[in-house]
Amino acid sequence: MKKKIKLLVVDDEAIVGKRLKPSLEKHGYEVETLGNGRSAIERIGKKDFDIIITDVRMDDVDGMQILEHVMAKSPRTKVIIITGYATVELAREALVKGAFDFIAKPFKPSDLRVIIEKAAKELKP
């Protein structure tokens, strides 16, 4: 049996985690959700995740800071950026800093799953 892919969803809009968690778990992923960047940084310090999905705009610690933290701690982890404020500049900055992909809100869970599946295929053992 292959091991479950561990996902962390970070978004200050509780509805995002609430909607994504059951949808992703149904497809066999182990999913944790957090509502802010500061708790995400703490959690990432305690547990390794295969894929992290994070909103860009959050108070305290934003998605770019989470991305930088993850790239420094665990470069094998894939980070997918989600945002309601999608711009070419923001997407480029995220990708330059090491994000696996970038998706604009609102998105369909199936669109996000396609990106997650691509990221999962690229994970190094």
Side-chain angles (χ1 to χ4, degrees), residues 77-121:
T77 301
K78 303 296 180 202
V79 179
I80 299 166
I81 302 285
I82 56 177
T83 183
Y85 305 92
T87 64
V88 171
E89 291 78 20
L90 189 58
R92 189 177 299 124
E93 180 188 353
L95 295 170
V96 164
K97 288 183 175 177
F100 178 77
D101 210 336
F102 185 93
I103 188 168
K105 290 179 184 175
F107 54 82
K108 292 194 214 86
S110 58
D111 293 339
L112 181 61
R113 265 197 320 277
V114 168
I115 296 171
I116 290 169
E117 285 163 16
K118 269 197 270 180
K121 282 185 185 127

Side-chain angles (χ1 to χ4, degrees), residues 1 6 10 13 18 20 25 47 52 63 65 67 75-77 81 90 93 95 105-106 108 116:
M1 192 185 126
K6 293 188 284 290
V10 187
E13 291 177 63
K18 215 174 262 173
L20 288 177
E25 285 177 337
K47 179 176 178 177
I52 296 173
Q65 290 168 293
L67 172 62
R76 74 172 281 285
T77 301
I81 302 285
L90 189 58
E93 180 188 353
L95 295 170
K105 290 179 184 175
K108 292 194 214 86
I116 290 169

